[in-house]
Amino acid sequence: TQNEIAKKIGLSRVYITNKIRLLNLPKIIKEAIMTESLSEGHARALLGIQDEPSMIAASNIVIKRRLSVRETEELVRKVNFGRSSKDDSLLKNKRIDKDVERAITELSNKIGYTVKNTSMNRGGKLTIRYQDKQELMELLGRL
């Protein structure tokens, strides 16, 4: 158990639990931790994002803007804002084409903002969230 591991190596159970949670991160975020581009605190906050493309895009924003852990937690709340359990179940039931998923991730990485895809009968709809007018102008400049 985690308690047994903690006792054997002389660390707290919480420490062990947090380390194990980090194993659930996408490879690219684990690499960012290893290169110290991202702290473990930032990464734990990012675990609050359910879908991998959004998590990766958010990690890129954290790195580029050098956000604090608290600011990262706020970013995670914004990414998750408006997503209900109904939306989550729809995401699980609809399989997104791998090429579309890669394109969305690439777009998120290039513009530095989370891009949400909504599948439709034909094609889809992309949504890019911004916080204020300044971010909108920054986003417009990147496009």
Side-chain angles (χ1 to χ4, degrees):
T1 67
Q2 292 176 5
N3 280 330
E4 292 169 337
I5 294 170
K7 285 179 186 175
K8 284 190 181 200
I9 62 174
L11 297 169
S12 72
R13 185 203 51 81
V14 173
Y15 179 87
I16 301 301
T17 302
N18 283 331
K19 289 288 186 186
I20 291 171
R21 287 180 62 217
L22 295 177
L23 295 174
N24 294 323
L25 290 166
K27 183 179 178 183
I28 192 165
I29 297 178
K30 289 181 207 173
E31 289 172 356
I33 295 168
M34 295 297 288
T35 62
E36 297 180 354
S37 300
L38 205 59
S39 75
E40 290 182 12
H42 289 99
R44 279 191 298 278
L46 291 169
L47 282 167
I49 299 173
Q50 297 300 315
D51 61 302
E52 189 172 310
S54 296
M55 188 184 296
I56 292 169
S59 71
N60 288 331
I61 292 169
V62 170
I63 293 167
K64 286 179 187 173
R65 297 183 186 173
R66 296 184 174 155
L67 300 181
S68 69
V69 173
R70 299 296 165 249
E71 291 169 326
T72 302
E73 291 168 347
E74 181 62 28
L75 175 64
V76 169
R77 282 190 285 280
K78 288 176 184 172
V79 168
N80 290 331
F81 177 76
R83 177 174 286 172
S84 66
S85 58
K86 178 182 174 186
D87 292 336
D88 289 339
S89 65
L90 288 174
L91 285 173
K92 288 177 186 172
N93 291 334
K94 284 190 176 183
R95 290 192 171 170
I96 298 176
D97 182 308
K98 292 292 180 188
D99 291 331
V100 171
E101 193 173 298
R102 269 193 295 276
I104 292 167
T105 301
E106 187 175 328
L107 177 61
S108 292
N109 291 338
K110 283 186 178 181
I111 65 174
Y113 287 83
T114 300
V115 178
K116 180 181 176 188
N117 179 52
T118 305
S119 296
M120 304 182 100
N121 289 338
R122 295 183 70 195
K125 177 175 73 172
L126 298 176
T127 306
I128 304 170
R129 293 190 53 111
Y130 61 91
Q131 185 174 349
D132 52 32
K133 185 177 177 181
Q134 181 181 351
E135 279 192 2
L136 176 61
M137 294 302 137
E138 180 183 321
L139 175 60
L140 183 61
R142 291 179 185 196
L143 294 175

